[in-house]
Amino acid sequence: QVQLVESGGGSVLPGGSLRLSCAVSGDTLSRYCMGWFRQAPGKEREGVAIIYNESGGTWYADSVKGRFTLSQDNAKNTLHLQMNSLKSEEAAMYYCAAVAAFRGYAGSRCYMARLSDFPYWGQGTQVAVSS
């Protein structure tokens, strides 16, 4: 069974940057559709970015386009999320999630995956953005 472990969270000033990582074990990253989600206190969990690892194709929430970037390190079986120009309202717990592509989430169907479609989740990494 695949396991996900996030890291890289921390505290930054507004406008600052962080690079989150999601280490995948138990299977090969390229076989999965993966996403980053975030949840702030009192709010619902929301999708931030999704990647179909086999092709490298990505989807980003409108609110993060141009500032957040997904990347894969296949040698280390790790997914990264580079977050630049962070805003105070983006402080949240950030989660990595995965669903096997062969279960109907290959190609463009990966980008349509909803939160409930992802069976594998990490424990989350906290991001704080404040002055």
Side-chain angles (χ1 to χ4, degrees):
Q1 180 166 328
V2 68
Q3 293 183 320
L4 311 174
V5 178
E6 302 97 331
S7 62
S11 181
V12 296
L13 297 172
S17 298
L18 283 173
R19 187 192 194 208
L20 306 184
S21 297
C22 176
V24 179
S25 62
D27 206 337
T28 303
L29 180 148
S30 62
R31 296 183 61 198
Y32 288 82
C33 166
M34 295 184 66
W36 283 96
F37 297 81
R38 63 189 178 191
Q39 187 168 20
K43 294 188 176 181
E44 293 186 353
R45 194 169 297 189
E46 63 175 357
V48 175
I50 293 175
I51 185 168
Y52 176 49
N53 283 309
E54 183 173 346
S55 68
T58 55
W59 169 89
Y60 296 94
D62 288 343
S63 61
V64 307
K65 283 181 181 176
R67 299 185 297 116
F68 288 16
T69 304
L70 286 161
S71 63
Q72 306 156 267
D73 184 339
N74 291 324
K76 295 184 177 180
N77 225 32
T78 299
L79 179 68
H80 300 289
L81 180 68
Q82 178 67 42
M83 306 188 298
N84 297 328
S85 301
L86 280 161
K87 304 175 182 179
S88 57
E89 58 265 34
E90 295 181 309
M93 185 71 81
Y94 281 70
Y95 298 91
C96 175
V99 57
F102 77 88
R103 295 194 177 278
Y105 296 97
S108 60
R109 292 189 61 84
C110 172
Y111 317 129
M112 294 186 287
R114 297 168 296 179
L115 187 150
S116 59
D117 293 325
F118 291 87
Y120 304 111
W121 290 82
Q123 81 288 351
T125 185
Q126 187 72 48
V127 172
V129 186
S130 67
S131 55

